[in-house]
């Protein structure tokens, strides 16, 4: 994985797959994740910066949204809680 350190990005569209960012600042950027490789952001600052999901990552978001609308709210909420580190429960074992 490529590592980028101590950089400031301003008004850029940045594809973040396969990149680890360390101590970087993003100002008015769009961070794009496609789900083709991992990514990491450590000690970074985001200022008026957003995320976009494309490709496989967008399909995962679409799946979670469809599951939520389809009556599996508890499973989706457990998955989000697990991402936040709020629970030890395996999100795959939540009850629908």
């Amino acid at each position: 994985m490529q590592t980028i350190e101590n950089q400031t990005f301003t008004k850029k569209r940045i594809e973040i797959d396969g990149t680890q960012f360390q101590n970087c600042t993003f100002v008015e950027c769009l961070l794009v994740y496609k789900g083709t490789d991992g990514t990491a952001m450590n000690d970074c600052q985001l200022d008026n910066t957003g995320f976009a999901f494309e490709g496989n990552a967008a399909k995962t978001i679409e799946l979670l949204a469809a599951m939520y609308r389809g009556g599996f709210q508890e499973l989706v909420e457990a998955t989000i809680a697990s991402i936040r580190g709020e629970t030890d429960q395996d999100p795959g074992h939540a009850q629908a």
Side-chain angles (χ1 to χ4, degrees), residues 14-21 31-33 37-41 51:
I14 303 165
E15 293 183 9
I16 62 174
D17 296 59
T19 306
Q20 175 176 319
F21 296 92
L31 305 178
V32 179
Y33 185 64
D37 200 354
T39 189
M41 301 184 90
F51 282 92

Side-chain angles (χ1 to χ4, degrees), residues 67 70-76 89 91-96:
M67 290 175 68
F72 296 97
Q73 293 90 354
E74 187 175 336
L75 177 61
V76 174
Q89 180 179 352
H93 291 92
Q95 297 295 317

Side-chain angles (χ1 to χ4, degrees), residues 2-59:
Q2 173 188 14
T3 300
I4 298 175
E5 298 180 272
N6 305 313
Q7 298 291 314
T8 297
F9 301 91
T10 304
K11 296 184 179 182
K12 303 250 185 225
R13 180 185 192 277
I14 303 165
E15 293 183 9
I16 62 174
D17 296 59
T19 306
Q20 175 176 319
F21 296 92
Q22 178 71 41
N23 196 35
C24 292
T25 301
F26 301 89
V27 180
E28 297 180 16
C29 292
L30 179 62
L31 305 178
V32 179
Y33 185 64
K34 295 183 176 185
T36 61
D37 200 354
T39 189
M41 301 184 90
N42 301 303
D43 300 318
C44 293
Q45 303 283 327
L46 304 179
D47 180 11
N48 198 29
T49 290
F51 282 92
F53 300 95
E54 296 179 355
N56 292 333
K59 289 177 184 176

